[in-house]
Amino acid sequence: MPANHRYSDADIAAVYRVIYERRDMRHFLSDPIAPDQLNRLLAAAHHAPSVGFMQPWRFIRVRCPDLRIGLHQLVEQERLLTAKALHEREDSFMKLKVEGILDCAEVLVAGLCGQREKHVFGRRTLPEMDLASLSCAIQNLWLAARAEGLGMGWVSMFAPDAVKALLGMPADSHPVAILCLGHVATFYEQPLLEQEGWAARQDLDGLIFENFWDTPPCR
């Protein structure tokens, strides 16, 4: 019989609880995060699965108030452009809160490195593996934050070149996410976009195929 590597029922329940109760937060309290707690969260990101055991990403901790304001302005510029691109949904989109850069305790900008070795494991044919590795790091950070009672929000509305210029990033790097991290008064009962009636999660059965594309699984 194989060894039993299963966690206890209580540990399993805790893992699933943090997965299902994690939220993309937009409303924050300004209370600071303790340094040891922040270090734990960053260590969780660092221990995320990474293709080829590489960390092709960097986090920039934005502590300067002027830089925060600059990031907020860049996000607001893109928010207005996104609203116009939505046409008939522009008004409802403008009512959504899409970031918390000025309110949260910590702002982290996650980016991919340039000048990377090109022929390492899956990267030879799938350079997207770098992005997959960064996504794993962000998800580890997100889940660890929720387990510790902290909220995190992923802001994706910005012009990459403008963020690079603001933060002095190398020309061959690429910012992927602005992460807002901090204490919250409460976590949303549902994901915010669902709570606000903007969208709903797609049905899982429609996302799982068997053997060939668009072939539903046998039941």
Side-chain angles (χ1 to χ4, degrees):
M1 294 292 292
N4 184 8
H5 299 296
R6 185 180 184 275
Y7 286 9
S8 69
D9 288 345
D11 286 345
I12 292 172
V15 169
Y16 280 102
R17 179 182 177 188
V18 74
I19 290 171
Y20 287 117
E21 293 186 1
R22 185 201 63 173
R23 295 288 183 264
D24 190 359
M25 299 301 297
R26 303 299 169 183
H27 301 83
F28 294 91
L29 305 175
S30 59
D31 307 63
I33 297 173
D36 60 333
Q37 189 176 35
L38 180 60
N39 286 338
R40 287 196 299 273
L41 302 183
L42 293 174
H46 189 228
H47 281 76
S50 186
V51 175
F53 204 57
M54 297 171 291
Q55 282 79 38
W57 46 262
R58 299 293 184 270
F59 285 168
I60 302 173
R61 186 183 177 195
V62 181
R63 306 185 71 184
C64 173
D66 288 342
L67 288 178
R68 276 207 193 197
I69 292 171
L71 285 174
H72 170 73
Q73 291 172 342
L74 292 178
V75 171
E76 180 62 15
Q77 290 173 14
E78 181 56 33
R79 187 175 79 98
L80 296 175
L81 293 173
T82 298
K84 292 185 182 303
L86 290 170
H87 304 299
E88 68 274 4
R89 300 195 78 181
E90 178 178 353
D91 290 342
S92 57
F93 174 78
M94 289 300 291
K95 297 175 183 177
L96 295 175
K97 182 172 176 57
V98 297
E99 53 92 358
I101 293 172
L102 298 180
D103 307 320
C104 65
E106 297 283 344
V107 172
L108 303 170
V109 174
L112 293 173
C113 306
Q115 296 299 317
R116 295 264 287 113
E117 185 179 355
K118 298 187 185 308
H119 304 295
V120 181
F121 296 112
R123 295 189 73 258
R124 190 182 73 81
T125 54
L126 288 172
E128 296 85 356
M129 289 300 97
D130 278 357
L131 182 58
S133 295
L134 173 56
S135 297
C136 287
I138 291 173
Q139 294 306 318
N140 263 26
L141 174 64
W142 214 337
L143 293 170
R146 181 62 187 90
E148 297 225 17
L150 296 174
M152 197 179 96
W154 181 329
V155 180
S156 58
M157 293 184 186
F158 55 84
D161 287 343
V163 170
K164 285 165 60 172
L166 180 68
L167 301 181
M169 296 174 65
D172 54 3
S173 64
H174 188 74
V176 173
I178 300 173
L179 306 175
C180 299
L181 183 66
H183 298 278
V184 298
T186 185
F187 285 91
Y188 312 134
E189 290 293 326
Q190 300 172 297
L192 185 62
L193 293 182
E194 185 176 356
Q195 189 170 288
E196 297 295 324
W198 178 264
R201 194 182 304 275
Q202 296 183 56
D203 185 67
L204 179 61
D205 287 342
L207 305 175
I208 307 298
F209 302 147
E210 188 165 309
N211 295 323
F212 300 102
W213 189 270
D214 211 20
T215 302
C218 296
R219 296 298 185 187

